[in-house]
Amino acid sequence: MKIGYPCINETLDCSSGRTFRLASYSDERLIETVTANLACLQRILAFNVQHGFNFFRLTSGLVPFASHEVNTYNWQDHFKADLKKLGDYIKEHNLRISMHPDQFVVLNSPNPNTVKNSIAELVYQGSILDLMELDATAKLQIHGGGGYGDKPTALGRFAEVYHNQLPDAVKARLCVENDDRTYSLQDCLYLHELTGIPIIFDNLHHECINNGEPMREAVEMAAATWKPERDGILMMDYSAQAPGERKGKHVQSIPEQLFHDFLVETEGLDMDIMLEIKDKEASAYKAVALAKELGRL
DNA sequence: CGCGGTCAAGTGGCT
DNA sequence: AGCCACTTGACCGCG
C-alpha cells in the first residue's frame, strides 16, 4: 500500500503548477514556467520520499496551455531530458504516480469539439508520463462525463470514443472514477464491460451515490477491474464529508477514526490511497502513521 | 506591495 | 437564471 496526496505541497515554498494567463502567453514565458514547475516537482518528490508518501498526483498545470492551440512550442523536446530524470527518480524510489485531467475533459460529450479538446488534453497528460518513461501503472484518471438524461447511451458514446479515437498511449493509462452525482460504481462497471478500463474507487463519492454495496464489497469490485501485471494494484481516492457542507465536499483534515475504520474494513485488500483532503501532507502524516500501526505499510 | 476581480475548457446541482 | 464546485486557487492589473 502506498499513501499520498494530490498536486500541491503546502510545506515547501514552491508550486509545480504555476501557470499564467492566456493573454500573457509567450514561448519564453512557457519555458520559464515549466522549468520552475519541474524543479519544484523534483523537490516535492524528494519531500515525499523522505516522509514515506509514495503515491503522488501530478498537477495538470505542469505545462501551461499544453493542449491549447496557442502553444505551438515543442516543449516535449525541450524538457525531454528533465522529464526523464524525474521519471528515473520516480522509478528509483518506486513511487506510484497519477494525473487527474480536470472537469473539462468529457469524452462522452455530444459536442465533437469538446471531445477533440478532451483527447488533446489526455494526449498531453499521457505524454508527460510517457516522457518520464513510466509504465502503464501510472494512470490518467477521469470521470464518466455528463449524463445527458440517458446514461447508457452516454456511456456508449464514451466507449465509441475510446475504441475509435483515443491513441493507444492514452488507452493504456486511462481509468474512470465513480463520481458523486452521475456515474456510480455500478455505472462505471458497465463502462468497464464496454472498454476494459480499470475503475478508480472513490469512497466519498460512493457514499454520495451507490446501489447499496457495502464499502468492502465496493472496493473489491473496483479492484477486480485492474489487471495487476499491466495496471498495478487498485488506486483509490479517500476522503470524508466536510461537516455541515455541501454533500461531497472534502474535509479540511483527515478524521482519523474514520480512516482507521476504513483500513480495518478493507483489511487484506491491497491498494494505493490518494488522500483528497484539503490540508494535504498534514493529513498524509497521520494516515501513514495509522496504516503503519495496522500493519498495512 | 497588497487587494480582489478574473481566469481555456463542461456539467449538473443548488440557491 | 445565475452561482458554485470540481483534483488544486493563483495571476495580474490596479490603487
Side-chain angles (χ1 to χ4, degrees), chain A residues 59-102:
Chain A
T59 174
S60 306
L62 223 43
V63 181
F65 300 105
S67 68
H68 191 282
E69 60 182 13
V70 73
N71 182 350
T72 57
Y73 183 72
N74 190 347
W75 56 267
Q76 293 91 338
D77 265 5
H78 191 285
F79 292 103
K80 196 182 167 103
D82 294 317
L83 288 165
K84 179 170 185 324
K85 225 171 104 186
L86 284 159
D88 289 345
Y89 187 83
I90 287 163
K91 285 183 281 189
E92 181 190 339
H93 295 280
N94 201 22
L95 305 176
R96 189 88 187 267
I97 296 294
S98 68
M99 295 184 81
H100 194 332
D102 61 32

Side-chain angles (χ1 to χ4, degrees), chain A residues 106-109 111-120 122-123 157-171:
Chain A
V106 182
L107 286 183
N108 70 351
S109 174
N111 180 345
N113 207 42
T114 301
V115 175
K116 182 172 145 259
N117 292 341
S118 297
I119 293 172
L122 286 169
V123 166
R157 221 161 38 229
F158 186 117
E160 205 170 301
V161 169
Y162 179 85
H163 289 303
N164 301 327
Q165 296 191 56
L166 281 186
D168 288 342
V170 170
K171 282 161 90 170

Side-chain angles (χ1 to χ4, degrees), chain A residues 263-282:
Chain A
L263 289 180
V264 169
E265 191 166 6
T266 58
E267 195 179 359
L269 306 179
D270 202 8
M271 67 193 99
D272 291 334
I273 300 181
M274 178 61 59
L275 300 169
E276 294 196 329
I277 311 249
K278 298 274 184 208
D279 69 3
K280 304 290 179 188
E281 70 272 19

Side-chain angles (χ1 to χ4, degrees), chain A residues 9-284:
Chain A
N9 179 295
E10 296 188 327
T11 308
L12 300 171
D13 59 354
C14 71
S15 160
S16 63
R18 280 176 53 202
T19 69
F20 48 86
R21 300 223 173 139
L22 182 56
S24 49
Y25 182 88
S26 71
D27 289 349
E28 294 69 32
R29 183 88 190 247
L30 180 81
I31 293 166
E32 183 192 321
T33 301
V34 176
T35 302
N37 285 348
L38 296 182
C40 182
L41 178 57
Q42 176 56 56
R43 290 182 60 200
I44 294 175
L45 293 176
F47 176 98
N48 290 349
V49 166
Q50 188 186 339
H51 293 98
F53 305 149
N54 295 325
F55 188 16
F56 190 66
R57 179 184 298 161
L58 309 185
T59 174
S60 306
L62 223 43
V63 181
F65 300 105
S67 68
H68 191 282
E69 60 182 13
V70 73
N71 182 350
T72 57
Y73 183 72
N74 190 347
W75 56 267
Q76 293 91 338
D77 265 5
H78 191 285
F79 292 103
K80 196 182 167 103
D82 294 317
L83 288 165
K84 179 170 185 324
K85 225 171 104 186
L86 284 159
D88 289 345
Y89 187 83
I90 287 163
K91 285 183 281 189
E92 181 190 339
H93 295 280
N94 201 22
L95 305 176
R96 189 88 187 267
I97 296 294
S98 68
M99 295 184 81
H100 194 332
D102 61 32
Q103 65 271 26
F104 307 108
V105 171
V106 182
L107 286 183
N108 70 351
S109 174
N111 180 345
N113 207 42
T114 301
V115 175
K116 182 172 145 259
N117 292 341
S118 297
I119 293 172
E121 180 67 16
L122 286 169
V123 166
Y124 146 57
Q125 299 203 20
S127 70
I128 292 283
L129 303 174
D130 292 344
L131 287 163
M132 287 178 169
E133 299 183 12
L134 303 181
D135 64 23
T137 63
K139 293 300 188 188
L140 298 172
Q141 163 180 5
I142 64 172
H143 294 291
Y148 310 101
D150 179 357
K151 291 198 279 180
T153 302
L155 288 180
R157 221 161 38 229
F158 186 117
E160 205 170 301
V161 169
Y162 179 85
H163 289 303
N164 301 327
Q165 296 191 56
L166 281 186
D168 288 342
V170 170
K171 282 161 90 170
R173 300 190 185 280
L174 196 68
C175 299
V176 157
E177 172 199 350
N178 58 310
D179 66 68
D180 60 351
R181 59 188 182 199
T182 307
Y183 291 113
S184 67
L185 174 62
Q186 207 161 100
D187 295 324
C188 292
L189 285 168
Y190 173 65
L191 184 60
H192 171 73
E193 273 176 43
L194 298 178
T195 58
I197 299 179
I199 297 171
I200 292 193
F201 180 69
D202 185 307
N203 73 304
L204 179 58
H205 293 168
H206 185 68
E207 286 168 23
C208 294
I209 49 165
N210 60 71
N211 292 279
E213 308 89 344
M215 198 53 80
R216 182 184 176 92
E217 204 176 295
V219 171
E220 286 174 335
M221 290 163 88
T225 64
W226 292 67
K227 287 202 186 88
E229 67 284 359
R230 182 194 66 182
D231 302 316
I233 62 170
L234 172 73
M235 281 182 180
M236 71 162 286
D237 290 345
Y238 180 87
S239 195
Q241 175 67 43
E245 298 276 357
R246 186 190 62 83
K247 189 173 145 187
K249 195 173 161 78
H250 298 152
V251 275
Q252 180 60 33
S253 189
I254 192 166
E256 296 186 62
Q257 186 63 47
L258 285 181
F259 186 64
H260 174 275
D261 294 348
F262 178 82
L263 289 180
V264 169
E265 191 166 6
T266 58
E267 195 179 359
L269 306 179
D270 202 8
M271 67 193 99
D272 291 334
I273 300 181
M274 178 61 59
L275 300 169
E276 294 196 329
I277 311 249
K278 298 274 184 208
D279 69 3
K280 304 290 179 188
E281 70 272 19
S283 283

